[in-house]
Amino acid sequence: MSADLTRLSAAALADALTSGEASSVEATQAHLDRIAAVDGAVHAFLHVSSQKALATAADVDARRSAGEELHPLAGVPIAVKDVVVTQGLPTTAGSKILEGWVPPYDATLVEKIKAAGLPILGKTNMDEFAMGSSTEHSAYGNTHNPWDLDRIPGGSGGGSAAAVAAYEAPLAIGTDTGGSIRQPAAVTGTVGVKPTYGGVSRYGLIALASSLDQAGPVTRTVLDSALLHELIGGHDPRDSTSINEPLPDLVGAARLGANGDLTGVRVGVITELQGEGYQAGVQARFDESLELLRSAGAEIVEVSCPHFTYALAAYYLILPAEASSNLAKFDGMRFGLRVIPEDNPTAERVMSATRGQGFGDEVKRRIILGTYALSAGYYDAYYGSAQKVRTLIQRDFSAAFEKADVLVSPTAPTTAFKLGEKLDDPLAMYLNDVATIPANLAGVPGLSLPSGLSDDGLPVGFQVLAPAKADDRLYRVGAALEALLENEWGGPLLGRAPELETR
Ligand code: GLN
């Protein structure tokens, strides 16, 4: 096959593999070559697994030749965020405290990926323990945005988004606790989906905040996200919060949406998530996308979610509280790093030295915040109040979904900012997730897709939210908008990204 295999969507690549136009070994090698050529500049990967990926590819090719019935995505390579445990592949969660740790087991979603025969290209860079919006909190250095190497790729899953945007992988896995799939997708011109809480197993994700974490797809098209979501989703008895019901027909919804007809679909614009604080170009692209939805037959209504104003404050109590407890297990006794102080190395002093050296500043900041919020005497004032706000936000969503089938907003208030710009200002960093956090607090699903370039020439994301367990609506509306926009642009937005220098 002469076309560059790295430029195809996952669905198109899967077709090429099925028809015999290309082999998985060729496709996997093409992506490994691309990684070798551009990842020195992008730094999306923390670990590249060439040999294992090629071995999986060769196995899939052999099974296909033998006439075996394979998963539709068999042989299509994928990258996995380094917070997801992978047997035999290093897993660090972007932290020094897990340097050198090789998990003895696979996350459920990784088991599914392996069983379906997708070669795993490697593990992607991220903010340490998924805390951040820029990937600058990784203990292993920045990832660079392929649109402009001086800018952030979003976070915490900047590595997965940059890998997909730079054609280093057609598919990637992210995790989203407050926006870490959707916000990186927005600032890199890719598609990212946070499924309904409980829709994808959390077994084998290194937990940040267990009541908020969800894994999901990072891709270049809405259909590709639906295909990957169907592969990784579904009930898992090893995750007690896993939904014990079949997934809705996500791929069917994406294919239906692609015809561009949204007659009868009610789209709710969230009053609180637009206007002041949103970059002019972000708001302009959002408004234009709304007009396209209207032209496709959707009914646009305005809905108010008054408690969303408090979402960020509630999140930054609940998240640190849960994180401080989840991170207690990194004590130098069980995983990765162990620092033994020279004088009087008692167990307690080893733990303290290991955590002191192993955790970065942002992680320490949140552990301190979390333990403070949970301490006796403060629990009701902080954690208890935050949980009440969470309930109010859930009620806002319920009321809004009476009036609309999906809700929409810009995914992030700004386009990609410069590396270093917000590193010394935690609050400014936290504000990037103002539009994505409500979905995590309520457990509802959300999708971000590219909606154009802002005045600064950088990608803007459009967010679609749906009621819990109605993830299919994201795909229908997302695919419809994607088709309408690409019709206007004459191709995908990523086609307008500058070519990266290769070496
Ligand atoms: N940026 C948010 C935070 O720092 C979201 C992180 C995430 O979704 N993992 O917590």
Side-chain angles (χ1 to χ4, degrees):
M1 187 159 172
S2 54
D4 183 348
L5 295 172
T6 64
R7 301 283 160 145
L8 299 178
S9 69
L13 181 55
D15 287 346
L17 298 179
T18 314
S19 68
E21 271 171 86
S23 71
S24 176
V25 168
E26 284 165 352
T28 304
Q29 189 61 56
H31 285 94
L32 292 169
D33 291 347
R34 177 74 180 166
I35 294 170
V38 302
D39 209 53
V42 177
H43 191 42
F45 284 88
L46 292 179
H47 179 80
V48 179
S49 175
S50 313
Q51 284 181 0
K52 283 185 179 150
L54 287 167
T56 303
D59 177 55
V60 167
D61 287 340
R63 281 159 52 202
R64 203 185 301 274
S65 308
E68 204 179 301
E69 176 109 32
L70 299 172
H71 187 276
L73 288 175
V76 177
I78 188 167
V80 178
K81 188 177 179 183
D82 207 30
V83 74
V84 181
V85 307
T86 41
Q87 183 175 32
L89 288 184
T91 300
T92 66
S95 181
K96 284 281 176 216
I97 211 161
L98 279 175
E99 194 163 27
W101 184 57
V102 179
Y105 71 108
D106 277 323
T108 296
L109 74 87
V110 173
E111 271 182 5
K112 290 185 181 209
I113 285 170
K114 287 185 177 173
L118 282 73
I120 297 178
L121 295 165
K123 304 297 291 291
T124 58
N125 198 13
M126 54 181 285
D127 286 298
E128 185 174 4
F129 288 109
M131 297 179 186
S133 310
S134 69
T135 313
E136 292 168 296
H137 293 312
S138 168
Y140 302 97
N142 301 328
T143 294
H144 301 261
N145 190 321
W147 286 81
D148 176 350
L149 295 173
D150 293 331
R151 291 180 186 268
I152 59 106
S156 63
S160 284
V164 169
Y167 304 101
E168 296 173 85
L171 298 171
I173 295 293
T175 59
D176 191 312
T177 304
S180 289
I181 290 175
R182 290 163 288 158
Q183 184 258 1
V187 300
T188 57
T190 55
V191 177
V193 178
K194 181 199 94 74
T196 296
Y197 183 77
V200 173
S201 173
R202 286 184 298 109
Y203 180 78
L205 308 193
I206 298 174
L208 169 53
S210 312
S211 76
L212 303 163
D213 298 342
Q214 252 313 270
V218 180
T219 64
R220 288 192 293 266
T221 71
V222 172
L223 175 62
D224 284 357
S225 274
L227 288 162
L228 182 54
H229 189 160
E230 283 195 0
L231 167 60
I232 61 174
H235 182 240
D236 179 11
R238 292 182 293 192
D239 171 0
S240 63
T241 59
S242 171
I243 297 168
N244 193 359
E245 282 173 36
L247 288 173
D249 180 6
L250 309 175
V251 172
R255 292 197 198 281
L256 172 68
N259 71 21
D261 181 13
L262 292 176
T263 307
V265 177
R266 296 169 305 162
V267 173
V269 181
I270 305 169
T271 316
E272 287 75 11
L273 298 184
Q274 53 172 321
E276 204 193 325
Y278 289 77
Q279 194 178 305
V282 168
Q283 186 68 44
R285 295 299 88 74
F286 176 73
D287 293 340
E288 289 161 15
S289 289
L290 272 187
E291 277 317 306
L292 282 179
L293 293 175
R294 200 194 305 273
S295 73
E299 184 194 333
I300 312 289
V301 296
E302 175 107 10
V303 296
S304 174
C305 294
H307 300 97
F308 282 21
T309 322
Y310 309 108
L312 203 70
Y315 173 87
Y316 278 100
L317 286 167
I318 293 168
L319 178 135
E322 292 189 24
S324 67
S325 151
N326 278 325
L327 295 178
K329 61 181 167 288
F330 300 106
D331 55 7
M333 302 292 138
R334 285 169 279 199
F335 320 88
L337 184 75
R338 176 179 297 164
V339 180
I340 303 179
E342 268 180 24
D343 102 66
N344 189 20
T346 60
E348 199 180 326
R349 282 172 49 79
V350 170
M351 286 181 201
S352 163
T354 302
R355 287 167 70 82
Q357 278 189 38
F359 287 141
D361 287 350
E362 182 63 23
V363 175
K364 288 178 186 161
R365 180 179 298 124
R366 296 202 195 186
I367 290 174
I368 293 167
L369 266 171
T371 46
Y372 182 81
L374 290 175
S375 51
Y378 294 115
Y379 183 94
D380 285 337
Y382 295 118
Y383 187 74
S385 309
Q387 290 292 19
K388 286 181 191 150
V389 171
R390 189 172 187 174
T391 303
L392 295 172
I393 287 166
Q394 286 161 350
R395 286 189 194 152
D396 279 359
F397 269 116
S398 304
F401 284 127
E402 303 254 307
K403 298 192 196 115
D405 302 305
V406 295
L407 301 176
V408 297
S409 76
T411 309
T414 69
T415 55
F417 46 91
K418 286 247 158 76
L419 287 162
E421 195 179 314
K422 301 192 181 177
L423 206 46
D424 300 326
D425 186 352
L427 260 182
M429 189 71 89
Y430 297 169
L431 279 167
N432 290 291
D433 297 302
V434 64
T436 46
I437 278 172
N440 300 82
L441 289 171
V444 304
L447 172 150
S448 178
L449 79 157
S451 74
L453 301 180
S454 183
D455 308 334
D456 51 15
L458 294 166
V460 172
F462 185 94
Q463 176 173 241
V464 187
L465 303 167
K469 299 197 266 187
D471 304 49
D472 51 329
R473 294 187 198 172
L474 304 178
Y475 290 105
R476 176 160 180 215
V477 174
L481 182 57
E482 177 183 60
L484 296 162
L485 284 164
E486 292 194 357
N487 189 35
E488 295 219 322
W489 301 331
L493 189 72
L494 268 176
R496 287 158 54 190
E499 282 297 327
L500 290 166
E501 240 173 83
T502 54
R503 62 163 194 218

